[in-house]
Amino acid sequence: MHRRPWLRRIWWRLRDYAAIGWWQAVALVSRTRPDDFTDGATGGRVVVLLPGVYEPWRVLLPWARLLREHGADVHVLPALGWNRAPVPATAARVGRYLVENDLRDVTLVAHSKGGLIGKLAMLREDPDGRITDLIAVNTPFGGSRWARYFLVGAVRAFRPADATIVALAAEVDVNARITSAHTFWDPHVPEGSELAGARDVVLETPGHFLPMTDPRLLALLVERVRGRGGAAGPA
């Protein structure tokens, strides 16, 4: 017997929040250090991880460990804290980090808000062309209708009419270097995460957070750091 759609969505939502709740708990107690994933001498692909709003960098530990295991030189930005600062300010911080550490041929791997930060960094904070591509997971490129109901500025910034959202949407040339990986059902981004001109990858895991460990996404990350699977064009 098939479950009723609304019951299925409740189950999906519970699994989704359980996943992020666990990762947040791990992030709070973990003693993992930022330099555990880079020594600058791996010779592998340089990856910079960008978390979503209210996500400390350790929430992305599953990505960091996977990418490091496959030879990537993985960088995180503890200075972002809980990632509540405006997207433009955070993108500028990313740009400074790349310059200060002389990182080149960089792949940005981002969740949610991190994808907006990554795209803006590519557009405005990378005059030397240090960023090669961006893999954005469940990013609200067109905003989210739910954001207007929040009083907290860090979330209201995702309103479709927000100036940064509108400005980013108007910039389409850079989309060819972006892979937008997103689930078929995202309660936080009901508009979806499709991006015109980008490579579009649909994940089978429902939710906003749990898709971060979707098998197809993890395979995509491994392919990218091994030098396979270009960023351009729809999939």
Side-chain angles (χ1 to χ4, degrees), residues 36-122:
D36 285 346
F37 304 102
T38 178
D39 57 16
T42 64
R45 191 63 174 265
V46 177
V47 176
V48 175
L49 301 183
L50 301 175
V53 66
Y54 292 113
E55 294 176 5
W57 74 267
R58 288 187 177 90
V59 163
L60 303 183
L61 280 175
W63 286 356
R65 289 169 176 151
L66 174 72
L67 293 167
R68 181 61 173 175
E69 287 172 1
H70 287 85
D73 189 28
V74 182
H75 294 254
V76 296
L77 282 71
L80 299 187
W82 288 80
N83 202 10
R84 294 176 294 181
V87 169
T90 310
R93 187 183 290 272
V94 172
R96 289 195 299 271
Y97 182 89
L98 300 183
V99 172
E100 291 167 358
N101 292 274
D102 194 24
L103 302 183
R104 300 180 183 275
D105 192 18
V106 175
T107 291
L108 302 177
V109 179
H111 177 240
S112 194
K113 176 186 178 181
L116 301 176
I117 295 167
K119 181 175 178 179
L120 190 58
M122 296 168 79

Side-chain angles (χ1 to χ4, degrees), residues 144-152 155-156 158-160 191:
S144 171
R145 70 178 69 120
W146 303 127
R148 66 172 61 97
Y149 299 110
F150 287 79
L151 298 178
V152 181
V155 179
R156 284 184 61 81
F158 303 132
R159 290 175 298 121
E191 291 81 0

Side-chain angles (χ1 to χ4, degrees), residues 27 90 106 113 131 136 165 168 213 216:
T90 310
V106 175
K113 176 186 178 181
I131 302 171
I165 294 289
L168 282 174
T213 55
R216 187 178 184 190

Side-chain angles (χ1 to χ4, degrees), residues 186-233:
D186 184 343
H188 289 216
V189 190
E191 291 81 0
S193 298
E194 292 186 22
L195 188 64
R199 180 184 180 189
D200 190 66
V201 177
V202 180
L203 308 175
E204 295 183 358
T205 305
H208 186 69
F209 305 103
L210 195 56
M212 293 165 66
T213 55
D214 181 274
R216 187 178 184 190
L217 172 64
L218 300 184
L220 170 66
L221 296 182
V222 170
E223 288 174 0
R224 189 62 52 84
V225 300
R226 287 181 172 176
R228 301 193 304 274

Side-chain angles (χ1 to χ4, degrees), residues 23 32 62 69 79 107 115 132 152 164 182 221:
W23 295 333
T32 306
E69 287 172 1
T107 291
T132 299
V152 181
T164 299
H182 57 91
L221 296 182

